[in-house]
Amino acid sequence: MRRLAVRAPGSCGEWIQGVYRKRPCLVSCPIDRYATATITDRSTGRRLPPKARQLTEHFLWRYGLSERVLRHVDIELSSQIPRGKGMASSTADLAALAAALGYFFDMPLEPEEIAKLCIAVEPSDNIMYPESNLFDFVNGGVLRRFDHSVSASVLILDFKGAVDTVGFRGQREVYTPEDCKAFRGIIRMFQRGTAQDNLQLIGNATTRSALLNQKVLVKPYLPLLIDLSSRFGGAGVIIGHSGTVVGVLHAPGKLDREGFLEALFQHIAREEIENIYDQKIISGGVELLCNEF
């Protein structure tokens, strides 16, 4: 029996998000939480979720394959990524599935191809790329590439509630010309930070992006979290621009985690936060875990 498994990372939202040259765009912030797609050549009658089924059908159409080739195949999706939080859970599912289908049919897919398959289903994050880039999440396409990936950690605060993340994508009409000008400055700052491996400069850019996007989806405690990040050793905040999570960016060992949380819970009730995650920020890209015969 053949067994093949591929995983794709989730994200702590986006480093930055806005409109650039009239195109909605983002830079995902991949973390070490994953969605996994497993394919075996033994059918169990398992049914795929609607989005996964849509991507599979588009894959077969795009590469000229008949649905009959999957009659005796089982596809399973599993995930460590919370849903409806702005952590790229849906894109990670679809990217892992697209890559797994490519490997299964002996046609490994480039990140651009995976992105096209995901975009055909819904607006998508760019966690399928191993390098950091500015990505048009509605129409697809890389608008700008960054020279280096970021090595850091993030304390993720998962606030209560959930968001239909697709519903918040592509809202270009809320950005004024002044907002677009400000976003161009944020892009330049982020690019300088990555080129210089300067986490504080990167954090300044991500914090400005978070504040710029308050008009799209308000994070009620954002000013407090920015202040506490500065006071307890963080480099800035990263948000799920279309979700509920807020991350505190920091170099490993530099954040006073206990002091931060103690101060935080002096201002908000613990019940406001569903979960707290300590994650590493990683390079993006899909990973082939096994391909056994």
Side-chain angles (χ1 to χ4, degrees):
M1 180 181 73
R2 186 180 183 187
R3 181 176 180 274
L4 183 149
V6 174
R7 71 178 185 179
S11 72
C12 178
E14 298 75 31
W15 290 110
I16 59 176
Q17 181 168 320
V19 171
Y20 178 66
R21 295 179 178 173
K22 299 183 179 180
R23 295 176 68 178
C25 55
L26 55 74
V27 184
S28 292
C29 177
I31 58 172
D32 57 344
R33 278 182 172 260
Y34 301 92
T36 302
T38 304
I39 303 179
T40 55
D41 55 4
R42 180 183 297 174
S43 179
T44 63
R46 190 196 318 266
R47 295 181 64 85
L48 284 172
K51 291 179 183 179
R53 180 62 188 172
Q54 188 177 346
L55 182 136
T56 301
E57 291 172 351
H58 189 75
F59 175 90
L60 295 174
W61 170 81
R62 187 175 181 86
Y63 297 105
L65 300 170
S66 168
E67 286 197 16
R68 289 176 295 180
V69 299
L70 294 180
R71 282 183 182 173
H72 303 292
V73 168
D74 179 66
I75 301 175
E76 179 183 5
L77 297 177
S78 60
S79 182
Q80 305 168 328
I81 308 165
R83 304 282 175 182
K85 299 294 187 176
M87 297 179 70
S89 60
S90 183
T91 299
D93 283 347
L94 297 178
L97 174 57
L101 289 167
Y103 281 117
F104 190 80
F105 290 104
D106 299 317
M107 54 173 77
L109 301 179
E110 294 295 324
E112 289 78 10
E113 285 300 305
I114 296 173
K116 288 176 183 177
L117 290 165
C118 292
I119 289 287
V121 177
E122 66 180 14
S124 297
D125 296 274
N126 62 338
I127 48 82
M128 68 287 294
Y129 289 89
E131 75 283 351
S132 187
N133 61 57
L134 187 67
F135 181 72
D136 182 335
F137 57 83
V138 174
N139 306 294
V142 173
L143 307 182
R144 182 179 289 197
R145 300 182 188 274
F146 301 105
D147 296 333
H148 303 282
S149 295
V150 181
S151 177
S153 298
V154 61
L155 175 67
I156 301 176
L157 306 173
D158 176 7
F159 285 87
K160 275 194 170 181
V163 174
D164 175 10
T165 55
V166 173
F168 280 92
R169 292 295 173 87
Q171 295 193 16
R172 285 171 288 180
E173 67 276 6
V174 304
Y175 295 105
T176 65
E178 290 75 20
D179 293 333
C180 293
K181 181 179 179 180
F183 186 63
R184 290 195 296 272
I186 289 169
I187 294 171
R188 290 192 295 269
M189 181 180 293
F190 181 77
Q191 188 155 29
R192 287 200 307 274
T194 57
Q196 298 170 15
D197 196 21
N198 184 326
L199 197 60
Q200 191 61 57
L201 197 56
I202 293 167
N204 289 345
T206 66
T207 300
R208 289 189 183 187
S209 181
L211 290 168
L212 182 65
N213 281 272
Q214 281 285 77
K215 66 192 302 180
V216 181
L217 182 61
V218 174
K219 304 290 188 294
Y221 303 112
L222 186 61
L224 170 64
L225 294 169
I226 293 171
D227 176 60
L228 294 180
S229 169
S230 176
R231 286 169 52 193
F232 291 95
V237 299
I238 309 168
I239 66 168
H241 289 70
S242 55
T244 63
V245 294
V246 179
V248 179
L249 176 67
H250 63 94
K254 295 298 185 181
L255 179 70
D256 178 1
R257 183 183 189 279
E258 299 309 315
F260 175 91
L261 292 176
E262 182 180 351
L264 176 65
F265 292 128
Q266 289 176 2
H267 295 274
I268 70 172
R270 290 177 181 267
E271 293 75 21
E272 293 278 346
I273 297 176
E274 288 188 12
N275 288 293
I276 299 174
Y277 307 109
D278 291 282
Q279 304 290 160
K280 291 181 180 178
I281 294 171
I282 62 171
S283 298
V286 300
E287 179 183 357
L288 178 63
L289 298 177
C290 70
N291 189 5
E292 305 167 344
F293 291 84

